[in-house]
């Protein structure tokens, strides 16, 4: 079958690979209908996340049809049209039982890597480096899905493929940022980043009762989507001083909840950007945390900051003094999709969450290298390139 | 840790170095931890002690190391099941046995999965593209190969 492989830093190639087989009793094979690019892939592509091996198959946000199941599968069957959570959950360990499924103890066959880097390992994820288990990703005709009973969700009739695919990753990630960030009715929420994740975080904040939601980015077509599809306010950081503008729009308080949905390759016009670029080039720092710093400085006293953007290592000039003195709550995490996806699919079906507009460029899998180039450079208004194997 | 893995750190950058350092610290932990040879490796298993050690029978992966290791267990706080701990017999040595220590980690991880899930998750063989032999690739392969035996568990 065909699959999109990472072959080196900023190098992708469609290769002919073997088809996956059932390896464990809880497995299924899913024939992929749609598989999307995600901002997280850009960190892999650029070599910012360590532990990539040439030949790794990318892709973790996908939906499709179950075509084979292992002997232990109970709740899913051949023919089911499903969306699969990007992270894997065994359903049994303490983390899975406590709705912290991306921290699953039992789905990462390479635990020593995360333990060495982070002090503990995350659960497994599709197509997301050897650190999350080295599982083959979904940018392929077929993908093996371990723990299909916990990881795959039936797509309601009336929800299209293009709508459903984002329930795998972008929608639950955004929801988690607003939910675990503690958004409550009446809150003012600011979201850094108007990609798929930031847009979904903004929508979640609105549905959780926020009275004002402000999304910050510089790409006009994304900010336009935020205003017209999501229904939130926007702030263009390329033409406005973010801190001053946020203070003005939040009655001088700052946002109650600040959600960062940018990640370790943040861009900025502030002087610290150059500092971070040089330091990452010299390998004195691994990640560029511009938006995290800004979110921490902007958040109101006693407010909370949720870091949804992916970080892989060490950052500099982290404003710990602001966290401490302003009494902030700082949270983060890979998405715990299993707890949210069924509810989110219902909301998508009910028209409460729009997702289809994120699929700006749907193309055959063979064109995925071009799709990633567009997504990476944000050409032609690309928000997410989505591949059809 | 082999020389190749240490040499490789410069190639893949700081983040892998941080990871590798974590692994290496463990391998030579006796340098800074006077009690390294007698430390227990511990996992918490979301099952009651009676399921973990049934009629004095240890979980299969630990039973396979019978005679080489010590095993203890106790109730975990907060309804978190059982804390299962194991360590190589020291036989009076104060040097840790790296290889056996690695085998203990693997056995604990596998015991936990067998008890919680019923099987040990594998990811091999699976589809993959061409894996060219490169220095950076060799480092990743070596780290991956060792990862079940290493880490902070
Ligand atoms: N926590 C999780 O489980 C999880 C899941 C999916 C994605 N992510 C992460 O979320 C982040 C966003 O993902 P995405 O798919 O939306 O990515 P994306 O690349 O499509 O969007 C990122 C956006 O951030 C904007 N941006 C860059 N610098 C900025 C700054 N200083 N201030 C404000 N905006 C800035 C960019 O213009 C872009 O629109 C990535 O880091 C990704 O890895 C995390
Ligand atoms: Zn993602
Ligand atoms: Zn689990």
């Amino acid at each position: 079958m065909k699959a999109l492989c990472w072959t080196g830093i900023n190098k992708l190639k469609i290769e002919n690979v073997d088809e996956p087989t059932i390896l464990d009793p809880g497995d299924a094979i899913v024939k992929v209908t749609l598989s999307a690019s995600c901002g997280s892939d850009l960190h892999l592509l650029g070599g910012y996340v360590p532990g990539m091996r040439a030949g790794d198959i990318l892709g973790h946000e996908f939906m499709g049809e179950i075509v084979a199941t292992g002997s232990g599968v109970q709740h899913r069957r051949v023919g089911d049209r499903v969306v699969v959570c990007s992270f894997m959950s065994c359903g049994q360990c303490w983390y899975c039982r406590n709705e912290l499924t991306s921290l699953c103890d039992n789905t990462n066959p390479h635990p020593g890597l995360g333990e060495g880097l982070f002090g503990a390992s995350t659960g497994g994820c599709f197509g997301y480096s050897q650190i999350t288990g080295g599982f083959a990703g979904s940018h392929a005709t077929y993908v093996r899905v371990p723990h299909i009973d916990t990881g795959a969700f039936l797509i309601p009739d009336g929800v299209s493929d293009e709508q459903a695919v984002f329930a795998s990753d972008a929608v639950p990630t955004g929801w988690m940022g607003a939910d675990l960030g503690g958004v409550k009715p009446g809150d003012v929420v600011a979201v850094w980043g108007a990609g798929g994740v930031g847009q979904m975080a903004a929508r979640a904040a609105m549905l959780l009762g926020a009275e004002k939601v402000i999304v910050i980015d510089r790409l006009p077509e994304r900010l336009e989507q935020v205003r017209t599809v999501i229904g939130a306010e926007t702030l263009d950081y390329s033409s406005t001083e973010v801190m001053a503008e946020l203070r003005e729009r939040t009655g001088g308080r700052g946002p109650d909840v600040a959600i960062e949905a940018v990640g370790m390759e943040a861009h900025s016009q502030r002087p610290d950007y150059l500092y971070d670029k040089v330091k990452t080039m010299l390998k004195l720092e691994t990640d560029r945390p511009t938006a995290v710093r800004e979110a921490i400085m902007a958040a109101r006293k006693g407010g909370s900051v949720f870091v949804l953007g992916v970080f892989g290592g060490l950052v500099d000039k982290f404003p710990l003094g602001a966290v401490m003195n302003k009494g902030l709550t700082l949270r983060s995490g890979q998405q715990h999709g299993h707890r949210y996806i069924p509810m989110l699919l219902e909301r998508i079906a009910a028209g409460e969450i729009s997702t289809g507009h994120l699929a700006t460029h749907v193309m055959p899998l063979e064109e995925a290298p071009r799709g990633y180039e567009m997504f990476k450079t944000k050409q032609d208004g690309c928000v997410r390139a989505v591949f059809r194997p | 840790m082999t020389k190749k893995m240490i040499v490789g750190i410069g190639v893949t950058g700081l983040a892998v170095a941080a990871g590798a350092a974590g692994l290496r610290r463990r391998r030579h932990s006796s340098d800074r931890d006077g009690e390294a040879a007698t430390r227990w490796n511990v996992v918490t298993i979301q099952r009651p002690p009676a399921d973990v050690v049934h009629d004095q029978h240890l979980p299969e992966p630990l039973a396979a190391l019978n005679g080489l290791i010590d095993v203890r267990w106790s109730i975990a706080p907060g309804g978190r099941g059982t804390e299962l701990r194991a360590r190589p017999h020291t036989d009076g040595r104060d040097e840790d046995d790296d290889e056996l220590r690695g085998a203990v980690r693997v056995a604990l991880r596998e015991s936990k999965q067998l008890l919680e899930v019923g099987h040990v998750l594998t990811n091999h063989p699976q589809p993959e593209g061409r894996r060219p032999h490169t220095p950076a690739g060799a480092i990743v392969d070596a780290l991956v190969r060792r990862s079940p035996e290493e880490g902070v568990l």
Side-chain angles (χ1 to χ4, degrees):
Chain A
M1 66 172 186
K2 296 239 182 308
L4 180 75
C5 298
W6 186 88
T7 58
I9 290 179
N10 290 319
K11 283 194 234 147
L12 295 174
K13 201 171 155 212
I14 296 288
E15 295 197 23
N16 266 313
V17 304
D18 294 338
E19 288 184 4
T21 51
I22 302 267
L23 300 177
D24 290 313
D27 287 3
I29 304 297
V30 169
K31 184 171 192 307
V32 179
T33 310
L34 291 178
S35 185
S37 56
C38 166
S40 300
D41 299 328
L42 298 179
H43 310 322
L44 300 180
L45 197 58
Y48 289 89
V49 171
M52 287 300 288
R53 177 69 171 100
D56 284 352
I57 300 172
L58 291 181
H60 57 266
E61 184 167 56
F62 65 102
M63 51 77 57
E65 187 190 321
I66 296 178
V67 292
T69 53
S71 58
V73 174
Q74 291 179 353
H75 306 298
R76 292 287 165 265
R77 48 183 114 122
V78 170
D80 283 352
R81 178 174 171 254
V82 293
V83 58
V84 177
C85 185
S86 57
F87 268 81
M88 298 171 192
S89 159
C90 78
Q92 301 297 327
C93 70
W94 186 86
Y95 294 97
C96 288
R97 289 176 184 212
N98 284 276
E99 299 194 306
L100 300 167
T101 49
S102 71
L103 302 171
C104 176
D105 269 340
N106 294 320
T107 45
N108 187 339
H110 303 159
L113 299 183
E115 288 177 16
L117 278 168
F118 311 130
S121 151
T122 65
C125 180
F126 297 91
Y128 207 72
S129 93
Q130 301 296 325
I131 293 174
T132 59
F135 290 96
S138 58
H139 293 337
T141 315
Y142 298 99
V143 60
R144 167 195 171 223
V145 178
H147 296 297
I148 190 90
D149 277 338
T150 49
F153 300 87
L154 294 176
I155 300 170
D157 294 340
V159 173
S160 71
D161 297 345
E162 281 81 0
Q163 287 174 299
V165 66
F166 301 110
S168 165
D169 194 63
V171 191
T173 301
W175 192 276
M176 179 178 82
D179 179 36
L180 302 187
V183 173
K184 358 178 248 325
D187 275 355
V188 178
V189 176
V191 179
W192 277 255
V197 173
Q199 291 195 29
M200 292 303 115
R203 187 64 197 154
M206 293 168 71
L207 291 168
L208 288 168
E211 253 174 53
K212 188 195 279 249
V213 177
I214 305 162
V215 179
I216 303 152
D217 205 307
R218 74 178 185 289
L219 301 172
E221 62 283 356
R222 293 183 176 211
L223 293 172
E224 174 70 19
Q225 286 190 337
V226 169
R227 285 188 298 269
T228 56
V229 186
I230 303 297
E233 293 182 20
T234 58
L235 196 167
D236 179 349
Y237 72 82
S238 67
S239 60
T240 322
E241 167 45 40
V242 175
M243 305 299 279
E245 179 74 15
L246 278 179
R247 261 196 310 277
E248 213 176 301
R249 288 205 218 169
T250 60
R253 301 180 305 273
D256 300 296
V257 179
I259 302 175
E260 187 271 358
V262 175
M264 60 174 117
E265 292 170 72
H267 155 275
S268 166
Q269 288 155 331
R270 303 163 67 91
D272 53 344
Y273 179 63
L274 194 63
Y275 171 89
D276 288 320
K277 264 216 116 143
V278 173
K279 286 209 82 162
T280 49
M281 273 159 59
L282 295 175
K283 306 240 179 275
L284 295 170
E285 171 180 54
T286 57
D287 310 348
R288 295 198 304 260
T290 326
V292 177
R293 287 188 195 121
E294 215 167 67
I296 289 172
M297 294 308 290
R300 76 150 161 85
K301 291 190 281 185
S304 84
V305 176
F306 202 101
V307 179
L308 284 175
V310 164
F311 289 84
L314 308 171
V315 300
D316 258 26
K317 303 232 174 309
F318 182 79
L320 186 57
V323 175
M324 191 275 155
N325 287 288
K326 289 204 292 178
L328 299 181
T329 301
L330 180 62
R331 285 193 80 168
S332 188
Q334 300 283 5
Q335 61 123 345
H336 309 303
H338 307 83
R339 67 197 273 178
Y340 301 125
I341 293 173
M343 171 272 293
L344 294 171
L345 284 167
E346 274 173 34
R347 287 185 187 264
I348 293 170
E352 291 175 24
I353 302 176
S354 302
T355 53
H357 68 286
L358 302 175
T360 49
H361 295 76
V362 181
M363 57 185 76
L365 178 64
E366 286 74 9
E367 292 177 34
R370 181 178 71 88
Y372 268 99
E373 189 54 33
M374 294 182 80
F375 177 49
K376 184 181 163 145
T377 54
K378 317 301 191 211
Q379 283 163 28
D380 194 32
C382 184
V383 177
R384 260 170 164 52
V386 180
F387 313 121
R388 202 183 276 288
Chain B
M1 161 143 324
T2 63
K3 211 180 222 146
K4 208 197 284 167
M5 289 160 79
I6 297 169
V7 170
I9 287 169
V11 185
T12 32
L14 184 68
V16 166
L23 299 182
R24 192 175 38 169
R25 196 170 309 132
R26 208 57 217 175
R27 305 284 295 173
H28 298 295
S29 50
S30 48
D31 296 350
R32 49 181 81 194
D33 179 1
E35 289 159 70
T38 53
R39 288 238 178 261
W40 296 92
N41 296 110
V42 196
V43 286
T44 302
I45 301 177
Q46 190 69 50
R47 290 283 181 274
D51 289 2
V52 173
V53 183
H54 195 65
D55 277 347
Q56 296 298 310
H57 289 300
L58 291 175
E60 188 44 44
L62 284 170
L65 298 174
N66 189 20
L68 298 172
I69 60 171
D70 301 321
V71 180
R72 301 273 185 281
W73 59 94
S74 53
I75 297 176
R80 276 174 284 197
T82 305
E83 293 176 0
L84 178 64
R85 63 201 75 220
R87 68 178 178 196
H89 278 318
T90 52
D91 299 327
R93 279 177 286 109
D94 46 358
E95 272 292 291
D96 198 16
D97 180 338
D98 282 352
E99 212 168 297
L100 187 52
R101 189 61 83 166
V104 167
R105 288 197 188 94
V106 173
L108 284 170
R109 297 190 207 276
E110 290 187 349
S111 300
K112 175 177 162 78
Q113 272 199 55
L114 287 171
L115 284 156
E116 290 186 340
V117 185
H119 65 269
V120 178
L121 183 64
T122 48
N123 63 356
H124 195 80
Q126 60 170 354
E128 57 181 38
R130 212 173 63 78
R131 304 276 198 205
H133 296 284
T134 61
I139 297 158
V140 175
D141 289 347
L143 288 168
V144 162
R145 226 177 6 254
R146 297 208 60 100
S147 79
E149 299 152 40
E150 297 287 359
V152 294
L153 169 75

